[in-house]
């Protein structure tokens, strides 16, 4: 039994190890303070607002091609409060940001979506998003570049040194330059089809939910600045509320194969893979395959959800080794008279009583088990009417027909599914029964 479980766990490990989407990482990038709240240029940012960054973690060598929404799988970004968007110089897609503007008031905290790139190209390179812990070159936001906002705060804005988010972004901005630039940028689905006005969470200061079946942002493909970690920034969201999101992505793996990862597990197509990682907050549950509650639909582990250890066994009450204490049935473990999957039935069912010779004389079935033909012998008195009925293991009648007036007859059962069957022969006043296994 342990061998079966080990093989099962190995297969699960193989599936996960071959996946190109390894994780989705949400970083708390910055928390605003009272000094940030003094600035009114481009709109007011409430004290305590959190700036989140969302990263897609891909296997080494894979590239992110697009983030999208489609019918039945809409993309969603939402918060329990409104999102902060800079009204004067904010953007919806970060690849259009002028890096020199990031020094001004709170533009660096604007909400946007992207595929890795955070500024427009300049002199053959652009800045790309990385987790602050991986940033090694300081900040283009801080120092003399930080203008102090509309109130000209001494020392500048965005200096809050909150321990939850670590180093303030005026010291570490989570931006690194790269000369490997994606091309063919395209974005759609951010504007109202009737008015042309953009009202998504990446442009509006009054919107709390953006949900679309027609959204798309794509380019020629992008990898992380660190090719080994391969973390790719896809969104920055600033809000006083709690966020949630659902996204779909398309990647290009190291072999040149396009794979779509989707956040919903229904209607999954051949070129798609469902991943619970693409929904946030993550659904946590039992991820230990030794428990009944185990599921691959959990993005994170919650050991408190693992309550019932699996006990493998045969749950067929007609089998000689029926185990009512088992909770996971293994059909191949069930043993019956005349059939025990090549196991020694004397070992598996040591208490099994042998059928008496007199019982066998009433109705014999040969061969047993059988693949196609059965030879039947019975000792029912010859009458004008003798019928045979065959029932499956759920006691559903699957065959019924009259027999000729003979005590021996051969007939075909090759059309029956593999399994355990009950056979009944009826005469005017006699009924005899037996069992057989179809393999």
């Amino acid at each position: 039994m342990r061998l079966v479980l080990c093989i099962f766990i190995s297969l699960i490990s193989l599936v996960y190890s071959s996946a190109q989407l390894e994780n989705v990482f949400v970083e708390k990038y910055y928390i605003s303070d009272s000094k940030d709240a003094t600035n009114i240029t481009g709109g007011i940012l409430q004290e305590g607002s959190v700036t989140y960054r969302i990263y897609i973690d891909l296997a080494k060598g894979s590239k992110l091609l697009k983030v999208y929404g489609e019918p039945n799988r809409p993309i969603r970004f939402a918060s329990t409060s409104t999102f902060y968007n800079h009204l004067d110089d904010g953007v919806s897609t970060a690849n259009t940001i002028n890096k020199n503007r990031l020094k001004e008031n709170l533009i660096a905290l604007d909400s946007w979506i992207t595929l890795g790139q955070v500024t427009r190209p300049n002199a053959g390179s652009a800045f790309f998003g990385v987790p602050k812990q991986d940033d090694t070159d300081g900040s283009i936001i801080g120092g003399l570049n930080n203008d102090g906002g509309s109130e000209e705060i001494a020392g500048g804005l965005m200096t809050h040194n909150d321990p939850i988010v670590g180093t303030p972004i005026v010291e570490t901005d989570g931006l690194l330059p790269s000369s490997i630039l994606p091309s063919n940028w395209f974005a759609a689905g951010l504007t109202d089809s009737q008015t042309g006005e953009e009202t998504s969470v990446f442009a509006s200061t009054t919107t709390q939910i953006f949900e679309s079946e027609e959204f798309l942002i794509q380019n020629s493909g992008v990898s992380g600045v660190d090719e080994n970690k391969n973390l790719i920034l896809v969104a920055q969201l600033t809000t006083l509320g709690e966020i949630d999101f659902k996204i779909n992505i398309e990647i290009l793996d190291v072999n040149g194969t396009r794979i779509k990862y989707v956040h919903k597990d229904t209607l999954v197509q051949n070129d798609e893979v469902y991943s619970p990682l693409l929904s946030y907050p993550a659904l946590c549950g039992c991820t230990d395959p030794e428990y009944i509650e185990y599921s691959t639909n959990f993005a994170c582990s919650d050991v408190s959800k693992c309550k019932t250890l699996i006990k493998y066994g045969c749950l067929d009450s007609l089998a000689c080794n029926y185990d009512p204490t088992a909770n996971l049935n293994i059909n191949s473990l069930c043993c019956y008279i005349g059939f025990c999957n090549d196991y020694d039935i004397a070992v598996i069912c040591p208490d099994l009583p042998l059928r008496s010779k007199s019982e066998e004389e009433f109705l014999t079935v040969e061969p047993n088990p059988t693949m196609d033909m059965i030879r039947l012998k019975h000792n029912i008195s010859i009458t004008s009417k003798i019928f045979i009925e065959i029932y499956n293991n759920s006691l559903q009648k699957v065959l019924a027909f009259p027999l000729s007036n003979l005590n021996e007859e051969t007939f075909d059962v090759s059309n029956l599914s593999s399994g355990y069957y009950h056979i009944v022969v009826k005469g005017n006043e006699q009924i005899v029964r037996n069992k057989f296994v179809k393999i």
Side-chain angles (χ1 to χ4, degrees):
M1 198 58 59
R2 176 59 58 180
L3 177 61
V4 174
L5 182 58
C6 289
I7 293 172
F8 181 52
I9 294 173
S10 298
L11 289 174
I12 292 172
S13 301
L14 179 62
V15 170
Y16 276 104
S17 65
S18 64
Q20 300 304 303
L21 172 60
E22 296 184 336
N23 204 357
V24 175
F25 170 53
V26 178
E27 175 190 37
K28 284 189 175 180
Y29 178 66
Y30 183 71
I31 299 177
S32 64
D33 62 10
S34 58
K35 291 191 296 183
D36 300 319
T38 66
N39 180 69
I40 61 172
T41 304
I44 296 175
L45 177 66
Q46 298 180 72
E47 181 180 357
S49 294
V50 180
T51 301
Y52 300 90
R53 283 185 163 186
I54 303 167
Y55 293 85
I56 301 297
D57 183 3
L58 297 183
K60 182 178 180 180
S62 291
K63 292 183 177 182
L64 180 63
L65 298 174
K66 67 175 67 172
V67 174
Y68 66 96
E70 64 179 9
N72 299 313
R73 295 193 191 92
I75 193 171
R76 173 186 168 93
F77 292 97
S79 171
T80 54
S81 182
T82 56
F83 288 87
Y84 173 73
N85 286 286
H86 198 283
L87 295 177
D88 295 337
D89 294 292
V91 298
S92 293
T93 57
N95 62 300
T96 61
I97 297 175
N98 185 327
K99 72 163 187 163
N100 293 325
R101 306 308 293 271
L102 294 176
K103 67 182 181 181
E104 300 175 8
N105 46 83
L106 300 175
I107 294 176
L109 302 182
D110 185 47
S111 298
W112 36 253
I113 192 166
T114 189
L115 299 178
Q117 191 173 318
V118 178
T119 66
R120 69 177 62 172
N122 181 40
S125 68
F127 282 89
F128 287 72
V130 297
K132 286 197 296 181
Q133 63 185 18
D134 296 336
D135 187 353
T136 57
D137 70 348
S139 176
I140 62 174
I141 297 171
L144 296 176
N145 291 329
N146 193 330
D147 65 6
S150 60
E151 297 299 309
E152 299 182 353
I153 298 295
L157 302 177
M158 298 175 288
T159 60
H160 190 197
N161 192 9
D162 191 298
I164 294 177
V165 297
T167 309
I169 59 176
V170 294
E171 298 178 21
T172 305
D173 58 13
L175 299 172
L176 288 177
S178 176
S179 59
I180 303 175
L181 304 178
S183 59
N184 301 325
W185 282 90
F186 177 78
L190 289 170
T191 57
D192 186 283
S193 59
Q194 301 296 323
T195 65
E197 180 183 2
E198 186 174 341
T199 58
S200 77
V201 295
F202 307 115
S204 171
T205 59
T206 60
T207 302
Q208 292 179 232
I209 299 174
F210 172 62
E211 196 164 73
S212 173
E213 294 183 338
E214 299 177 344
F215 173 78
L216 168 66
I217 182 170
Q218 66 179 23
N219 61 28
S220 59
V222 61
S223 298
V225 176
D226 183 332
E227 64 177 14
N228 292 312
K229 290 187 175 181
N230 207 10
L231 286 168
I232 303 159
L233 179 63
V234 295
Q236 177 172 292
L237 303 169
T238 299
T239 179
L240 190 62
E242 299 294 323
I243 66 168
D244 71 84
F245 63 80
K246 297 180 185 294
I247 61 176
N248 309 297
I249 65 173
E250 183 173 329
I251 66 104
L252 186 71
D253 72 13
V254 69
N255 298 315
T257 302
R258 289 174 176 258
I259 307 171
K260 294 178 180 178
Y261 287 90
V262 296
H263 67 73
K264 195 172 180 181
D265 62 354
T266 57
L267 303 175
V268 178
Q269 305 299 309
N270 290 336
D271 63 340
E272 296 175 334
V273 178
Y274 162 68
S275 174
L277 298 171
L278 295 172
S279 295
Y280 181 90
L283 178 63
C284 297
C286 181
T287 58
D288 186 339
E290 291 198 31
Y291 287 82
I292 285 288
E293 295 82 11
Y294 164 78
S295 173
T296 58
N297 289 346
F298 298 125
C300 50
S301 178
D302 181 351
V303 294
S304 69
K305 303 293 185 181
C306 297
K307 300 179 182 298
T308 311
L309 272 169
I310 291 175
K311 182 179 180 182
Y312 297 94
C314 175
L315 289 173
D316 183 356
S317 60
L318 296 175
C320 64
N321 59 336
Y322 166 62
D323 184 358
T325 66
N327 53 32
L328 187 62
N329 184 55
I330 304 295
N331 286 327
S332 61
L333 295 179
C334 295
C335 287
Y336 308 93
I337 298 172
F339 181 72
C340 196
N341 274 303
D342 295 327
Y343 300 123
D344 187 340
I345 197 167
V347 174
I348 302 298
C349 303
D351 298 326
L352 180 69
L354 296 176
R355 288 182 299 172
S356 67
K357 183 169 182 174
S358 60
E359 183 182 9
E360 291 181 351
E361 288 173 351
F362 283 112
L363 179 63
T364 60
V365 181
E366 297 175 343
N368 189 6
T370 182
M371 295 182 63
D372 43 30
M373 303 302 294
I374 277 182
R375 185 170 63 257
L376 191 68
K377 295 180 181 179
H378 64 86
N379 67 341
I380 291 181
S381 301
I382 300 300
T383 66
S384 58
K385 294 181 180 179
I386 300 179
F387 294 92
I388 182 171
E389 295 174 349
I390 296 179
Y391 298 83
N392 63 20
N393 212 21
S394 299
L395 300 182
Q396 298 170 314
K397 189 186 295 185
V398 293
L399 280 178
F401 52 88
L403 290 179
S404 59
N405 293 329
L406 297 173
N407 291 111
E408 181 176 333
E409 186 148 342
T410 301
F411 55 93
D412 189 359
V413 293
S414 60
N415 289 330
L416 295 181
S417 301
S418 297
Y420 193 56
Y421 291 89
H422 304 260
I423 187 166
V424 179
V425 178
K426 298 179 178 179
N428 281 350
E429 297 179 355
Q430 290 177 278
I431 298 177
V432 291
R433 297 178 176 86
N434 210 327
K435 306 163 187 174
F436 71 93
V437 176
K438 167 66 169 52
I439 58 175

